[in-house]
C-alpha cells in the first residue's frame, strides 16, 4: 500500500522580512506512513506545517500535498486533509454530538453520512454516555480522542496532528497512539509533531528540524545507529544542542 | 517543614478538584507533583500561593498559615504560573525591574541569584516580553519569580510544551537553585522529569496516588516488566492484548511494555504464541520499571 507519495516537498522556504523561518526543506511522505516532524521550539515546525496545510504561502520552493500544489490549490488541500492541534480542537460550549454534526457539515458531508459517521464514532470510542455532554466538561484526554476522530470524519488522505498529546495522562496518551496506528493501518497518512521522544519511536520515519532546516530524516532505528544513541531523546539532544 | 498540607479539599461547583490531599515538603527539597492535565495540580499551587481558599484542611508555607499570614507568605515565595503572566508590553528589563520594585528590592541586590538564568536573556533586555520565544519567556518568568530571593519557589508546569533540549537545561537550572537553599515545588506532566526530583507525589483526579522518592516508588511496582518488539507494532499490540495471560500492554518507545498475570511467567511461551501469530523478528527481554509504568498501574 505504501507505494506512492502523498506529500512531496522540495526546497520549501518561508521568510519573514530578513528572518528565514523555514530554510529550503525537502522531504517526501508515503501513503499510510506515520511521519514524525520534530524540532526544538522555534525551529520552524509550525511555519512549515502551516504551509503544508494551505494556510501560509511559501516564499519559494515546491510542495504538493494530497496531490495538490500548495501555491495554486490551497483550498483543495484543506478539503483533503484533517487537522488537529491542542490549541484549536473542538467547541467547548457545544455537545459532543453537536461538534460532530458541525464539523461534518463544514466538510460537506450529507446528513445521512454525518449520522452514519457519528454512530460509528460513538460505538468505537464508547461515547454512549457522553454524547450529549458539553465538550468543555470533558477531561483533556477525551477531548483529544474525539478531536482526532473528528479530524478523520471526511476520510482525509492525510491527517496533521500538532502536539496532540501534550499534558495528556500516560494511559490516554497510549490509547491515542493506538488510534493513530489503527488509522495508519487503514491507509491514512499521519503527520505528527510531539515533544515526547518516546512517541518519536512510534513513527515510521522521523525528521528533526534545527534552525529552519531538516538536519536528520530517517527511521528511528537508523537515526539511533547513526548518532550512536540509546533512544530518540539522545538523538534529539545531540542534534538540537548544537543549534544556536 | 517548608510546606505542609493537611487534608486539603477544594470543589468548584460539581467538580472535586482536590480531594483530601496531604503532603509535606522539607526545607531545601526539590519536590515534584506529577500528574496529567486536570489532576488538580494548579488548584494546589493556587492554594499554596494564597490565591485561593481551600474548602477544608490547613496549609502552612515557610512556617506561615496561608489564611492568617497570607501577606507574609507572598513576601517569601516565588510563583511561576503555568500560563505566561508577565507584562507583554514591558521590555525584559522593565518586567524584572517591576517585580524587584514591588518586592522592595533591586535587580542589583539579588543579581547573583538570577545571574545564571538572566545572562541568557540579557542580550534581549530591551525587547518586549511579548516578542520573546517560548524558551526565553520561561527564563524571564523564572528570573522574575526569583528576584526577591524567595525561600520557596513554586513552578506550575514550567516545561509543558517545551522541547527536550530546553527541558533538560531548565532542570539543570533548578538543581543549581536548589543548591542555593531554595525549596522547590514543581509540577509536570512529563513522567521522565519525576526521576530528577528528591521526592514526588503522583496525583490524578484530585487524589494523591503515592508519595515517596522516585527510587522507592519504582521499587514498589508489583510486577516484572518485559520489553516486547516485533516488526509490525500495531499487530503486535493486538496480539498481545488478545493473549489470555496478559496483565498490561502499553506501547513504550520502540518496545511494548508487557506484564503477565502469572507469577511463573515464561517468556518462551509468549515467544511461541507470537510466532504462531506470524510475527517477525520477535524480541522479548526483561526491562527496568519507570515512573510512568508505576503511574499507569496506580491510575488504572
Amino acid at each position: 500500500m505504501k507505494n506512492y507519495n502523498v506529500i512531496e516537498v522540495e526546497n520549501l522556504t518561508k521568510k519573514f522580512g530578513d528572518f528565514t523561518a523555514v530554510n529550503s526543506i525537502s522531504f517526501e511522505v508515503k501513503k499510510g506512513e506515520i511521519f514524525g516532524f520534530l524540532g526544538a521550539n522555534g525551529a520552524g515546525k509550525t511555519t512549515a506545517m502551516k504551509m503544508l496545510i494551505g494556510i501560509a504561502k511559501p516564499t519559494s520552493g515546491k510542495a504538493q500535498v494530497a496531490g495538490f500544489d500548495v501555491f495554486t490549490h490551497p483550498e483543495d488541500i484543506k478539503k483533503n486533509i484533517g487537522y488537529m492541534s491542542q490549541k484549536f480542537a473542538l467547541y467547548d460550549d457545544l455537545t459532543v454530538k453537536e461538534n460532530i454534526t458541525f464539523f461534518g457539515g463544514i466538510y460537506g458531508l450529507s446528513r445521512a453520512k454525518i449520522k452514519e459517521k457519528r454512530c460509528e464514532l460513538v460505538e468505537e470510542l464508547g461515547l454512549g454516555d457522553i454524547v450529549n455532554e458539553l465538550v468543555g466538561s470533558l477531561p483533556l484526554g477525551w477531548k483529544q480522542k474525539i478531536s482526532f476522530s473528528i479530524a478523520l470524519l471526511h476520510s482525509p488522505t492525510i491527517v496533521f496532528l500538532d502536539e496532540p498529546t501534550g499534558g495528556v495522562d500516560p494511559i490516554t496518551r497510549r490509547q491515542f497512539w493506538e488510534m493513530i496506528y489503527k488509522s495508519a493501518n487503514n491507509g491514512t497518512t499521519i503527520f505528527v509533531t510531539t515533544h515526547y521522544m518516546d512517541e518519536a519511536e512510534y513513527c515510521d520515519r522521523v525528521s528533526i528540524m534545527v534552525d529552519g532546516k531538516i538536519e536528520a530524516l530517517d527511521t528511528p532505528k537508523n537515526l539511533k545507529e547513526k548518532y550512536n544513541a540509546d533512544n530518540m531523546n539522545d538523538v534529539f539532544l545531540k542534534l538540537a544542542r548544537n543549534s544556536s | 517543614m517548608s510546606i505542609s498540607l493537611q487534608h486539603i479539599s477544594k470543589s468548584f461547583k460539581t467538580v472535586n478538584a482536590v480531594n483530601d490531599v496531604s503532603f509535606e515538603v522539607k526545607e531545601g527539597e526539590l519536590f515534584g507533583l506529577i500528574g496529567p492535565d486536570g489532576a488538580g495540580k494548579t488548584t494546589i499551587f493556587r492554594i499554596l500561593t494564597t490565591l485561593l481558599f481551600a474548602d477544608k484542611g490547613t496549609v502552612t508555607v515557610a512556617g506561615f498559615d496561608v489564611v492568617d499570614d497570607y501577606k507574609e507568605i507572598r513576601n517569601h515565595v516565588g510563583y511561576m504560573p503555568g500560563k505566561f503572566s508577565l507584562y507583554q508590553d514591558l521590555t525584559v528589563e522593565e518586567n524584572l525591574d517591576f517585580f524587584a520594585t514591588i518586592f522592595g528590592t533591586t535587580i542589583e541586590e539579588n543579581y547573583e541569584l538570577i545571574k545564571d538564568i538572566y545572562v541568557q536573556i540579557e542580550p534581549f533586555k530591551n525587547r518586549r516580553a511579548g516578542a520573546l520565544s517560548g524558551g526565553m519567556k520561561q527564563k524571564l518568568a523564572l528570573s522574575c519569580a526569583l528576584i526577591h530571593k524567595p525561600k520557596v519557589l513554586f513552578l506550575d508546569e514550567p516545561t509543558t510544551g517545551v522541547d527536550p533540549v530546553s527541558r533538560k537545561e531548565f532542570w539543570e537550572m533548578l538543581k543549581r537553585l536548589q543548591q542555593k537553599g531554595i525549596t522547590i515545588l514543581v509540577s509536570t506532566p512529563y513522567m521522565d522529569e519525576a526521576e530528577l526530583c528528591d521526592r514526588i507525589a503522583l496525583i490524578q483526579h484530585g487524589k494523591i496516588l503515592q508519595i515517596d522518592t522516585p527510587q522507592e516508588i519504582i521499587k514498589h511496582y508489583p510486577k516484572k516488566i518485559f520489553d516486547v518488539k516485533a516488526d509490525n507494532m500495531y499487530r503486535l499490540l493486538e496480539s498481545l492484548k488478545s493473549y489470555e495471560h496478559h496483565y498490561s500492554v502499553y506501547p513504550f518507545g520502540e518496545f511494548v511494555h508487557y506484564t503477565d498475570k502469572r507469577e511463573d511467567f515464561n517468556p518462551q511461551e509468549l515467544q511461541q504464541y507470537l510466532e504462531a501469530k506470524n510475527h517477525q523478528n520477535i524480541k522479548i527481554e526483561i526491562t527496568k520499571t519507570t515512573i510512568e509504568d508505576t503511574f499507569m498501574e496506580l491510575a488504572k
Side-chain angles (χ1 to χ4, degrees), chain A residues 20 27 33 39 64 69 79 93 108 143 158 179 200 218 236:
Chain A
T20 308
F27 63 93
E33 196 172 22
Q64 282 215 339
D69 188 289
K79 284 176 198 156
D93 39 15
K143 283 188 202 171
I158 311 162
M179 290 172 72
D218 213 326
F236 190 93

Side-chain angles (χ1 to χ4, degrees), chain B residues 182-222:
Chain B
I182 298 174
T183 306
I184 302 172
L185 180 69
V186 58
S187 71
T188 178
Y190 293 101
M191 302 284 154
D192 56 342
E193 294 182 348
E195 296 177 29
L196 304 168
C197 301
D198 297 328
R199 284 194 308 140
I200 54 174
L202 301 179
I203 181 169
Q204 182 158 5
H205 305 311
K207 281 191 175 161
I208 302 273
L209 301 169
Q210 201 169 10
I211 303 175
D212 216 325
T213 62
Q215 298 75 20
E216 280 301 310
I217 285 185
I218 286 169
K219 222 189 269 174
H220 285 117
Y221 187 82

Side-chain angles (χ1 to χ4, degrees), chain B residues 120-136:
Chain B
Q120 301 176 48
I121 48 172
E122 221 167 4
F124 312 98
K125 65 181 182 185
N126 295 319
R127 193 182 285 187
R128 284 188 305 108
L132 294 176
S133 75
M136 289 199 275

Side-chain angles (χ1 to χ4, degrees), chain A residues 2 11 20 29 60 83 100 106 139 142 150:
Chain A
K2 297 182 181 180
N11 301 326
T20 308
V29 181
S60 61
Y83 175 75
I100 298 174
I106 289 277
W142 270 111
I150 285 180

Side-chain angles (χ1 to χ4, degrees), chain B residues 39-103:
Chain B
K41 303 190 300 288
T42 299
T43 305
I44 292 175
F45 273 101
R46 294 180 62 82
I47 292 170
L48 288 169
T49 50
T50 77
L51 300 172
L52 193 68
F53 287 126
D55 297 337
K56 278 186 212 147
T58 54
V59 183
T60 61
V61 175
F64 300 105
D65 185 275
V66 284
V67 181
D68 298 335
D69 309 318
Y70 72 95
K71 281 191 177 162
E72 282 301 323
I73 290 181
R74 290 181 189 179
N75 283 326
H76 289 101
V77 306
Y79 175 39
M80 183 173 152
K83 212 177 136 209
F84 183 70
S85 3
L86 300 178
Y87 295 95
Q88 314 253 1
D89 296 340
L90 296 186
T91 65
V92 167
E93 196 174 28
E94 285 166 345
N95 264 295
L96 194 58
D97 198 30
F98 175 83
F99 282 93
T101 310
I102 287 277
F103 285 107

Side-chain angles (χ1 to χ4, degrees), chain A residues 41 167 173-174 178 202 224, chain B residues 37 161 163 241 251 253-254 292:
Chain A
N41 302 95
R173 204 152 71 77
R174 287 176 170 79
E178 285 174 33
Y202 304 158
K224 282 182 279 185
Chain B
D37 227 76
D163 69 73
K241 282 187 176 174
E254 64 178 308
E292 194 151 2

